[in-house]
Amino acid sequence: MKVSRIAAVGALAGSAVLLLSGPAFAHVSVAPEGPAAKGGYATVNFKVPNERDDATTTKLEVNFPTDHPLASAQPEAIPGWKIQVTKAKLDKPVELHGEQIDEAVSKITWTASGDGIAAGFFQKFPVSIGQLPENTDELVFKAIQTYSNKEVVRWIEVPKDGEEEPDNPAPVLALSAASEDHHGSSAASTAADESEDAADAEAASNETAAAPADTSDTTARVLGIVGIVVGAAGVAYGVLASRRRTNA
């Protein structure tokens, strides 16, 4: 009896954990591929799980932040999805590569041309964005998910520090500290280091390859000299032998 009660209690506890943890992992989210440093550029993935057993996800709308506009946003082409990029005029122009930009991407919409995201699956929607702002630690992207049965879920509630996560949290992208060079100085430095290492390795290889050649050349010279000496000795011996025979 006690074993049965313990098993029942354990099952109920497990179910409660699943119910409580389910929503926290089943919402639309955003995450960078690598660092998303302030002032730089990044590729981010909007991850969309399908939460319905009787419908597929057929549409995703992601609204870009207006308080920190992004001058550049380029989505990656995805088979089975049509992509529409919407731009809007900025209240205040921003500077990008020395040019004044007066409009930015306000929304990107993905619409399935086929069945969309099936039950039990998720889809990633990659977007290259930049230049990331330097005066904030995060960017909020409010998203709207539409199902094949016309149900609409709005992931637009902004999570707040110190409070429980809302039922429909908006995707939030955390920004890391700015790098010294926003345009890839690390990559350039790495390439230079690799080039220098390659040059050193080549020089070492040449030295290593030259050593046997020098040794072989020296050996050949020694053997040549020895051969000459032996040859001369042989000739001298022959001359002396011939004289002895003649005297005899």
Side-chain angles (χ1 to χ4, degrees):
M1 182 65 69
K2 289 183 179 180
V3 175
S4 300
R5 289 180 180 177
I6 293 174
V9 171
L12 290 174
S15 300
V17 170
L18 290 175
L19 290 173
L20 290 174
S21 62
F25 293 97
H27 54 255
V28 175
S29 60
V30 61
E33 293 181 1
K38 298 177 182 179
Y41 293 79
T43 296
V44 299
N45 288 307
F46 292 96
K47 183 179 178 180
V48 183
N50 189 81
E51 298 181 293
R52 303 294 180 263
D53 295 331
D54 56 350
T56 62
T57 296
T58 56
K59 187 177 181 180
L60 172 69
E61 299 173 68
V62 174
N63 293 280
F64 280 60
T66 56
D67 53 344
H68 299 289
L70 299 173
S72 175
Q74 298 179 324
E76 180 179 323
I78 303 176
W81 293 85
K82 296 179 180 179
I83 306 174
Q84 181 180 357
V85 179
T86 303
K87 294 185 177 182
K89 290 287 184 179
L90 298 176
D91 295 334
K92 182 180 179 181
V94 296
E95 186 174 338
L96 180 65
H97 301 311
E99 298 182 4
Q100 292 291 323
I101 307 297
D102 60 357
E103 68 175 10
V105 173
S106 59
K107 180 174 66 174
I108 298 181
T109 304
W110 291 266
T111 304
S113 55
D115 296 333
I117 308 173
F121 290 86
F122 71 86
Q123 175 72 51
K124 288 184 178 180
F125 299 88
V127 182
S128 175
I129 61 175
Q131 189 172 0
L132 300 175
E134 298 185 59
N135 57 348
T136 184
D137 294 327
E138 61 184 25
L139 293 175
V140 178
F141 298 87
K142 296 183 179 181
I144 300 176
Q145 182 179 11
T146 302
Y147 288 91
S148 58
N149 60 3
K150 306 304 180 182
E151 179 186 1
V152 176
V153 180
R154 301 179 183 276
W155 305 99
I156 60 175
E157 299 178 64
V158 181
K160 296 181 180 180
D161 293 337
E163 297 184 7
E164 293 184 0
E165 185 178 69
D167 293 334
N168 296 314
V172 177
L173 176 66
L175 303 181
S176 59
S179 60
E180 294 182 0
D181 185 352
H182 302 322
H183 300 285
S185 63
S186 296
S189 177
T190 301
D193 292 342
E194 291 179 352
S195 177
E196 184 177 353
D197 292 342
D200 293 342
E202 183 178 359
S205 177
N206 291 338
E207 291 177 0
T208 302
D214 293 342
T215 303
S216 299
D217 186 57
T218 301
T219 303
R221 290 179 182 178
V222 172
L223 291 177
I225 294 172
V226 171
I228 293 174
V229 172
V230 172
V235 171
Y237 178 80
V239 171
L240 291 174
S242 177
R243 289 181 178 178
R244 288 177 180 175
R245 292 175 182 173
T246 303
N247 293 333

